[in-house]
């Protein structure tokens, strides 16, 4: 049973081995000798074609090695099997290589003869193509293009660094390059040449342009062939400096003496960059100087209170932009860490001792101390210490200076393996800082800008600027105010008042009114009182007098009120109490108040009624409807028509004319009928509009009592001519409307007010 199973398996394996042996036999390259005339007749139907096999190239790496031939197969070849034939220039013999299924082959060549090499594709078909190579043995030794190239661009220059194959490097003496703008068709006609086999510089390039570049060695007797390399793409330079747009610093929660620092920047959009290089180091110069590569335009670090310098650059694979630098300043606000955390004892100018609270002993063994004078480089010392809370620094490289203030900080490091930091980010915290002097002195200057305000009869407030730190020459313990009364007969005894060093103003009390005081201020340290300020003189006010400044202020307020008060009041009145039109001041009323003119009588006189009297005016009503007091009030309205001008000869004086009733034939009824007809005919044709459209009859009667009285008296003086009756044909009409008269003609008409 087992045999029956094994036998078929053995048989199948045998078939597989036979199949692979057959394939191997068919795919193995074979070579044989041939004769030139036979080969020529056999492959004479094969020709050169751009889509067929092409770019045949043959070379050798050294004189004793085989010849390497390389080509590109045809685009439409059904099989990738090629035949290669090599023949010397002289003789009728050759060598043929068959069953080549690759695009390269190593062959044995005739080293003493000029050779011709041919490669055939599809040799058995009518579409057979070939490629030909010819060369002499001494011209076949090739040195390949470099196997490693590095480009660096800066300031319009391109630096090239290359390395060669180990078999070629001993033969290559120099190399050259050619370049063109990316996308251009023409290579630069002035190629650059190296001074050695590794480095080369190309100058006068456009920093903002990307280039294509090729490299090859310079031919010599050992490198007779130096083909161009493939085209390398060299991107444009990164020329714009990054710009820091945000710097933020916050305390780290529950981490004493550390801060979270965030920096954000931006770069120009025209620069093609791959990322950013952030370099950070301590201002003291302590190692390490750490480089951080990032693709984001921001970085966040956890740092101690020490001072740091940061530089940021953008880069691509050929260039690095100019750096933008930023100083993260020393943090000196250590108030949250308590008092007396760190103390200093100075022994001499090259030695001092620091000591700190002993609770650190349980957690830390690695420390670093930094000290510096203001505006000078920071000195530092890192040390390992176990079981002690003090350390002595001696033999300082820079001796301590007298009268100069120093700041010392103690940093703790949690990494116990080494006290030298490997990284800056989150590697240390600041425990405490304090200030000290090697030697103190007295201040060399007094406070400046001494002034006074709130001067009264018996007090004044003094104010001054602090003494600069570099002039104190020690820890300032306070200020002394020296003041005396200044009289013509001399200076009285001096009074001195001491205030704290953080005070910059003080009120002097119990002074004498109207008295001038001389004031000087000085600072003092543990070594004594320093130089006084220049004398300043201030005078208290007289009893019962007004301050000059108050008078000036009052005058200014009064002047402003006089200048700006009336316009403001007027404007407020317009806004809050807008004016309402007064009918008594209208155009109509103004004309009514003037002496009436002759216009009405002139119009009436034009009526050619022979029976009328010439010495009196009769207005006959057909039916008495309205009161007799209306017409005198209405008649003066007619005197306002002179501005619109109907008759140039009309004046504005009342002349009462009695009509001549000589004929005596005209009856009153006829006259009345004529007048009524005239009223109805010419009411709408009167050419003069009434001056006002809003005056009511009630207003009209209210403003005209005097006119009514005058007319009444005139009628009473001549009772014979008092036959004047006023009527209102439309008693429901409340407004005095516009009226008009037609031009004066042979048949003159009178328009009556309705």
């Amino acid at each position: 049973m087992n045999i029956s199973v094994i036998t078929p398996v053995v048989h199948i394996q045998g078939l597989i081995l036979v199949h692979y042996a057959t394939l191997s036999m068919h795919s193995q390259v074979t070579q044989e000798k041939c004769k030139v005339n036979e080969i020529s007749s056999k492959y004479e139907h094969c020709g050169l074609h751009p889509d067929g096999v092409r770019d045949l190239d043959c070379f050798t790496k050294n004189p004793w090695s085989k010849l390497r031939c390389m080509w590109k197969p045809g685009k439409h070849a059904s099989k990738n099997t090629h035949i290669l034939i090599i023949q010397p220039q002289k003789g009728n013999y050759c060598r043929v290589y068959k069953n080549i299924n690759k695009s390269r082959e190593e062959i044995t060549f005739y080293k003493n003869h000029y050779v011709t090499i041919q490669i055939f594709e599809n040799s058995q078909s009518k579409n057979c193509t070939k490629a030909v190579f010819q060369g002499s043995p001494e011209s076949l030794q090739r040195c390949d293009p470099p196997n490693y190239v590095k480009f660096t661009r800066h300031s319009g220059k391109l630096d090239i660094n290359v390395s060669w194959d180990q078999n070629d490097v001993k033969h290559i003496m120099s190399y050259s390059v050619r370049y063109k703008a990316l996308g251009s068709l023409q290579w630069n006609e002035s190629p650059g040449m190296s001074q050695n086999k590794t480095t080369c510089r190309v100058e006068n390039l456009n920093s903002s342009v990307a280039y294509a570049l090729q490299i090859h060695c310079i031919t010599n007797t050992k490198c007779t062939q130096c083909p161009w390399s493939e085209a390398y793409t060299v991107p444009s330079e990164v020329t714009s400096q990054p710009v820091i747009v945000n710097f933020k610093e916050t305390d780290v929660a529950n981490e004493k003496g550390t801060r979270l620092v965030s920096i954000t920047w931006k770069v120009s959009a025209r620069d093609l960059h791959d990322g950013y290089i952030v370099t950070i180091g301590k201002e003291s110069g302590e190692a390490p100087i750490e480089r951080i590569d990032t693709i984001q335009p921001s970085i966040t670090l956890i740092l101690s209170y020490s001072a740091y310098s940061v530089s940021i650059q953008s880069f691509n694979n050929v260039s690095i932009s100019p750096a933008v630098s930023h100083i993260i300043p020393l943090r000196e606000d250590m108030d949250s860490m308590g008092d007396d955390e760190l103390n200093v004892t100075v022994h001499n100018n090259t030695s001092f001792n620091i000591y700190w609270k002993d609770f650190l002993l349980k957690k830390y063994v690695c420390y670093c101390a930094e000290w510096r004078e203001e505006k000078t480089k920071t000195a530092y010392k890192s040390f390992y210490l176990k079981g002690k809370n003090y350390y002595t620094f001696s033999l300082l490289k820079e001796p301590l200076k007298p009268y100069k203030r120093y700041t010392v900080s103690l940093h703790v490091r949690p990494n116990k393996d080494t006290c030298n930091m490997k990284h800056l980010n989150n590697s240390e915290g600041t425990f405490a800082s304090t200030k000290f002097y090697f030697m103190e002195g007295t201040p060399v200057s007094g406070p400046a800008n001494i002034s006074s305000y709130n001067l009264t009869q018996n007090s004044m407030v003094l104010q001054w600027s602090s003494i600069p730190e570099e002039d104190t020459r020690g820890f300032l313990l306070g200020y002394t105010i020296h003041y005396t009364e200044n009289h013509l007969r001399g200076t009285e005894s001096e009074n001195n008042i001491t205030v704290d060093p953080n005070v910059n103003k003080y009120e002097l009390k119990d002074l004498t009114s109207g008295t001038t005081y001389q004031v000087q201020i000085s600072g003092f340290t543990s070594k004594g009182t320093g130089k006084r300020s220049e004398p300043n003189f201030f005078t208290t006010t007289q009893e019962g007098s007004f301050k000059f400044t108050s008078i000036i202020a009052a005058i200014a307020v009064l002047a402003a009120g006089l200048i700006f008060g009336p316009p403001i009041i007027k404007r407020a009145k317009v806004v809050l109490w807008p004016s309402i039109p007064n009918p008594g001041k209208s155009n109509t009323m103004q004309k009514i108040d003037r002496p009436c003119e002759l216009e009405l009588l002139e119009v009436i006189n034009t009526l050619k009624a022979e029976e009328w009297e010439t010495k009196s005016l009769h207005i006959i009503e057909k039916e008495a409807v309205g009161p007799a007091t209306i017409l005198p009030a209405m008649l003066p309205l007619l005197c306002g028509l002179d501005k619109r001008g109907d008759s140039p000869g009309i004046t504005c004086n009342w002349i009462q004319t009695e009509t001549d009733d000589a004929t005596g034939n005209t009856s009153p009824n006829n006259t009345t009928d004529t007048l009524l007809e005239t009223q109805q005919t010419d009411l709408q044709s009167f050419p003069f509009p009434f001056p006002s459209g809003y005056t009511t009859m009630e207003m009209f009667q209210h403003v005209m009592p005097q006119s009514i009285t005058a007319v009444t008296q005139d009628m009473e003086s001549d009772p014979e001519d008092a036959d004047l009756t006023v009527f209102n044909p439309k008693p429901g009409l409340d407004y005095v409307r516009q009226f008009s008269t037609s031009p004066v003609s042979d048949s003159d008409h009178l328009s009556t007010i309705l």
Side-chain angles (χ1 to χ4, degrees):
M1 182 176 180
N2 293 335
I3 296 176
S4 61
V5 174
I6 296 174
T7 301
V9 174
V10 173
H11 179 68
I12 293 173
Q13 289 177 346
L15 291 176
I16 294 173
L17 290 173
V18 171
H19 176 72
Y20 275 105
T22 304
L23 290 177
S24 176
M25 183 180 300
H26 284 290
S27 62
Q28 184 178 2
V29 178
T30 62
Q31 60 172 311
E32 58 186 31
K33 294 181 179 180
C34 60
K35 292 186 178 180
V36 175
N37 53 2
E38 295 177 356
I39 293 297
S40 299
S41 61
K42 186 176 180 179
Y43 299 107
E44 63 182 359
H45 65 285
C46 299
L48 303 173
H49 196 278
D51 291 335
V53 63
R54 61 197 182 279
D55 297 339
L56 175 62
D57 188 19
C58 297
F59 59 91
T60 180
K61 295 298 295 180
N62 50 65
W64 57 87
S65 64
K66 291 185 176 182
L67 190 65
R68 298 179 184 179
C69 290
M70 304 174 66
W71 61 89
K72 293 180 180 179
K75 296 181 180 180
H76 307 292
S78 58
K79 296 181 180 180
N80 290 328
T81 302
H82 299 86
I83 295 175
L84 187 145
I85 300 173
I86 179 173
Q87 67 184 65
Q89 185 178 11
K90 297 180 180 180
N92 193 29
Y93 56 90
C94 59
R95 185 178 290 107
V96 58
Y97 294 83
K98 298 180 179 180
N99 299 324
I100 302 174
N101 55 13
K102 300 177 294 183
S103 59
R104 66 177 62 192
E105 185 64 29
E106 290 188 353
I107 61 176
T108 303
F109 69 104
Y110 305 95
K111 299 181 179 180
N112 297 324
H113 300 281
Y114 188 90
V115 294
T116 300
I117 301 173
Q118 300 180 78
I119 184 74
F120 297 93
E121 186 177 68
N122 300 328
S123 59
Q124 302 300 324
S125 68
K126 295 181 180 180
N127 296 326
C128 174
T129 60
K130 69 177 181 179
V132 181
F133 173 83
Q134 294 178 333
S136 59
E138 61 273 9
S139 64
L140 298 179
Q141 190 167 341
R142 170 177 294 184
C143 293
D144 290 328
N147 54 17
Y148 172 80
V149 180
K150 180 181 178 181
F151 300 103
T152 303
R153 296 190 66 174
H154 59 92
S155 305
K157 303 178 180 63
L158 173 64
D159 291 329
I160 307 169
N161 192 291
V162 302
S163 62
W164 307 90
D165 182 85
Q166 60 180 357
N167 294 322
D168 296 337
V169 66
K170 55 187 176 182
H171 303 306
I172 296 174
M173 304 306 297
S174 61
Y175 65 92
S176 65
V177 299
R178 64 179 183 180
Y179 58 91
K180 62 180 180 179
L182 201 63
S184 176
L185 300 177
Q186 186 175 4
W187 293 98
N188 191 297
E189 298 296 335
S190 302
M193 184 175 296
S194 70
Q195 300 299 320
N196 53 51
K197 63 179 67 178
T198 58
T199 60
C200 179
R201 170 172 287 186
V202 180
E203 298 185 345
N204 300 322
L205 299 180
N206 190 332
S207 299
S208 60
V209 174
Y211 290 90
L213 184 141
Q214 289 182 311
I215 304 172
H216 73 167
C217 60
I218 304 300
T219 58
N220 54 44
T221 57
K222 299 296 183 180
C223 293
T224 56
Q225 290 187 17
C226 288
W228 287 105
S229 68
E230 63 180 6
Y232 299 99
T233 299
V234 183
S236 59
E237 278 186 58
V238 181
T239 58
S240 298
Q241 184 184 53
V243 178
I244 295 177
V245 296
N246 185 42
F247 175 82
K248 186 178 180 181
E249 178 183 321
T250 57
D251 290 331
V252 179
N254 301 322
E255 291 291 337
K256 182 179 179 181
T258 58
R259 50 183 169 170
L260 188 68
V261 176
S262 299
I263 305 175
T264 305
W265 61 89
K266 65 178 181 179
V267 296
S268 173
R270 70 174 182 269
D271 284 343
L272 300 177
H273 59 276
D274 300 328
Y276 308 97
I277 301 171
V278 180
T279 305
I280 181 170
K282 299 190 78 171
E283 275 285 273
S284 63
E286 182 182 6
I289 297 177
E290 188 173 359
R291 168 173 168 162
I292 303 173
D293 293 344
T294 177
I295 60 173
Q296 301 296 329
S298 63
I299 192 170
T300 301
L301 303 167
I302 298 177
L303 303 175
S304 68
Y305 288 177
S306 183
Y308 296 84
S309 62
V310 179
S311 68
I312 303 170
Q313 299 170 288
S314 59
F315 71 91
N316 56 23
N317 61 353
V318 298
S319 62
I320 300 176
S321 74
V324 57
S325 298
H326 183 78
I327 300 297
I328 302 175
L330 174 71
R331 180 98 168 257
E332 294 183 301
D333 53 337
M334 310 292 288
D335 297 339
S336 60
M337 298 186 177
D339 297 330
D340 299 327
E341 296 282 358
L342 183 66
N343 292 279
V344 179
T345 301
V346 179
H347 304 296
N348 51 57
N349 64 343
T350 60
S351 176
F352 66 93
N353 183 75
I354 63 172
Y355 53 97
W356 56 91
K357 297 295 184 180
D358 57 3
F359 63 82
L360 292 179
L361 302 178
K362 299 178 181 180
K363 189 175 181 180
Y364 301 103
V365 294
C366 289
Y367 305 89
C368 179
E370 294 179 344
W371 64 94
R372 68 186 181 97
E373 179 193 348
E374 188 69 24
K375 299 180 182 179
T376 60
K377 186 176 180 180
T378 302
Y380 69 93
K381 175 68 175 179
S382 60
F383 54 93
Y384 176 89
L385 188 65
K386 187 175 183 180
K388 295 181 180 180
N389 65 333
Y390 61 91
Y391 191 84
T392 301
F393 301 92
S394 58
L395 301 177
L396 303 179
K397 294 181 180 180
E398 292 290 336
L400 301 176
K401 301 176 183 179
Y403 314 129
K404 297 296 183 182
R405 182 177 296 185
Y406 289 86
T407 300
V408 60
S409 300
L410 181 66
H411 309 292
V412 293
R413 295 173 177 174
N415 187 1
K416 298 180 181 180
D417 296 335
T418 174
C419 291
N420 296 324
M421 291 187 299
K422 295 180 179 180
H423 304 283
L424 292 177
N425 187 30
N426 199 22
S427 294
E428 74 173 8
T430 302
F431 170 67
S433 291
T434 190
K435 299 180 184 295
F436 70 95
Y437 282 89
F438 157 57
M439 181 184 297
E440 289 191 74
T442 58
V444 295
S445 68
N449 302 322
I450 301 175
S451 61
S452 66
Y453 62 95
N454 288 347
L455 288 166
T456 66
Q457 299 177 29
N458 53 13
S459 67
M460 70 175 70
V461 178
L462 298 177
Q463 187 172 352
W464 61 90
S465 301
S466 300
I467 301 175
E469 183 179 295
E470 58 270 17
D471 290 347
T472 59
R473 303 205 307 170
F475 292 109
L476 192 66
L477 302 179
Y479 294 101
T480 301
I481 302 174
H482 316 273
Y483 68 98
T484 59
E485 294 183 6
N486 189 34
H487 297 287
L488 294 176
R489 60 180 180 270
T491 302
E492 300 293 337
S493 61
E494 185 177 78
N495 299 294
N496 297 322
I497 297 177
T498 301
V499 297
D500 292 336
N502 56 347
V503 173
N504 291 95
K505 62 180 179 179
Y506 185 81
E507 183 178 8
L508 297 179
K509 298 181 179 180
D510 299 328
L511 304 179
T512 304
S513 63
T515 302
T516 300
Y517 286 86
Q518 174 183 297
V519 178
Q520 291 179 291
I521 304 176
S522 63
F524 61 93
T525 65
S526 61
K527 296 298 182 180
T529 302
K531 185 178 178 180
R532 294 188 181 188
S533 64
E534 294 295 326
N536 291 269
F537 298 93
F538 307 104
T539 303
T540 56
T541 60
Q542 292 283 352
E543 184 176 358
S545 62
F546 294 98
K547 295 184 179 179
F548 181 72
T549 55
S550 300
I551 297 175
I552 296 299
I555 294 175
V557 171
L558 180 60
L562 293 176
I563 295 173
F564 301 106
I568 295 175
I569 295 173
K570 184 176 181 181
R571 181 61 180 170
K573 180 179 179 300
V574 171
V575 174
L576 299 177
W577 299 284
S579 60
I580 300 175
N582 185 355
K585 295 182 180 181
S586 65
N587 189 26
T588 301
M589 298 298 101
Q590 297 298 323
K591 291 184 177 181
I592 289 176
D593 289 341
R594 296 189 315 210
C596 195
E597 298 179 356
L598 195 59
E599 291 174 285
L600 179 59
L601 296 180
E602 289 292 337
V603 173
I604 295 175
N605 286 335
T606 58
L607 296 175
K608 302 236 175 119
E610 296 179 355
E611 65 274 16
W612 282 24
E613 297 180 1
T614 60
K615 296 183 179 180
S616 63
L617 172 64
H618 298 274
I619 297 178
I620 308 298
E621 63 175 348
K622 183 179 256 187
E623 182 178 2
V625 180
T629 59
I630 296 176
L631 184 58
M634 295 169 58
L635 291 177
L637 292 175
L638 301 178
C639 71
L641 302 176
D642 60 320
K643 296 298 181 182
R644 302 186 181 264
D646 183 68
S647 299
I650 296 177
T651 63
C652 198
N653 295 322
W654 279 93
I655 303 175
Q656 190 174 15
T657 307
E658 295 182 358
T659 57
D660 188 5
D661 192 12
T663 60
N665 296 327
T666 303
S667 66
N669 292 335
N670 293 338
T671 305
T672 303
D673 293 338
T674 303
L675 289 173
L676 292 175
E677 291 175 1
T678 304
Q679 294 172 5
Q680 295 173 358
T681 302
D682 298 335
L683 179 62
Q684 301 298 329
S685 62
F686 197 65
F688 307 109
F690 201 79
S692 175
Y694 64 83
T695 305
T696 63
M697 180 64 72
E698 181 181 357
M699 294 179 182
F700 180 81
Q701 294 174 355
H702 179 71
V703 299
M704 291 301 300
Q706 295 179 354
S707 300
I708 295 173
T709 304
V711 174
T712 303
Q713 292 175 355
D714 184 62
M715 290 189 298
E716 290 176 353
S717 63
D718 193 359
E720 295 179 359
D721 299 334
D723 190 7
L724 178 63
T725 304
V726 179
F727 68 94
N728 182 7
K730 296 181 180 180
L733 185 63
D734 292 333
Y735 290 85
V736 178
R737 296 187 179 272
Q738 297 179 355
F739 64 96
S740 63
T741 60
S742 60
V744 178
S745 62
D746 295 336
S747 58
D748 297 315
H749 302 285
L750 173 67
S751 292
T752 306
I753 302 172
L754 298 181

